[in-house]
Amino acid sequence: MKTRALILGLALLGATGMAQASQNCSIKLKGGDNMQFDQKTATVSAGCRTITIELEHTGKLPAAAMGHNVVLTTTADADAVARDSIRAGAAGGYLPAGDARVLAHTRMIGGGEKATATLPGSALRAGGAYTFFCSFPGHSALMRGTVTVVP
Ligand code: CO
């Protein structure tokens, strides 16, 4: 009887582990000197406590010439935030200061660097339309993609 209970317990533990493993709470992007992200879409699970955005700049050019960041907004806000980011200029890190439309953003990095950002999972709702983009001047048209929140 004890063995049977132990096996059942292990089976339940295994099922729980699988449920957690299938929840995707991170967005991992790479950007290079070709001014592109390696992905045009990203998927995260609804119900994540925290969502992590990881960016790796796989190029060699410095941030001043080929800067990359990841800015996350609703798709409806993306174009306007991208315009306002250029207006913010290099001194403003190419992001409007304290802008509530920016749901999350990494810092601007150059070749060989990495940056991370987090946001509460509750900031995104299932079925919502979200866009990630690089706010460096001239990059957002090419360097953008959509984030889908799945149940
Ligand atoms: Co860029």
Side-chain angles (χ1 to χ4, degrees), residues 8-117:
L8 184 64
L10 286 173
L12 285 172
L13 268 176
T16 308
M18 278 172 63
Q20 284 171 345
S22 67
Q23 202 181 39
N24 181 22
C25 299
S26 67
I27 298 171
K28 295 179 181 176
L29 295 168
K30 291 178 182 175
D33 290 339
N34 61 350
M35 207 202 295
Q36 290 194 38
F37 286 127
D38 62 337
Q39 296 170 73
K40 292 281 187 191
T41 60
T43 302
V44 295
S45 306
C48 290
R49 186 181 170 84
T50 303
I51 295 169
T52 304
I53 300 172
E54 292 175 38
L55 170 65
E56 181 180 355
H57 193 316
T58 55
K60 291 189 180 344
L61 295 170
M66 184 55 71
H68 297 324
N69 65 358
V70 178
V71 179
L72 181 65
T73 66
T74 65
T75 296
D77 286 336
D79 286 340
V81 173
R83 276 196 302 274
D84 292 346
S85 295
I86 295 170
R87 232 169 262 146
Y94 297 118
L95 263 186
D99 194 317
R101 296 172 298 175
V102 176
L103 302 175
H105 71 89
T106 70
R107 67 190 178 92
M108 190 73 71
I109 59 173
E113 294 185 288
K114 292 181 182 178
T116 302

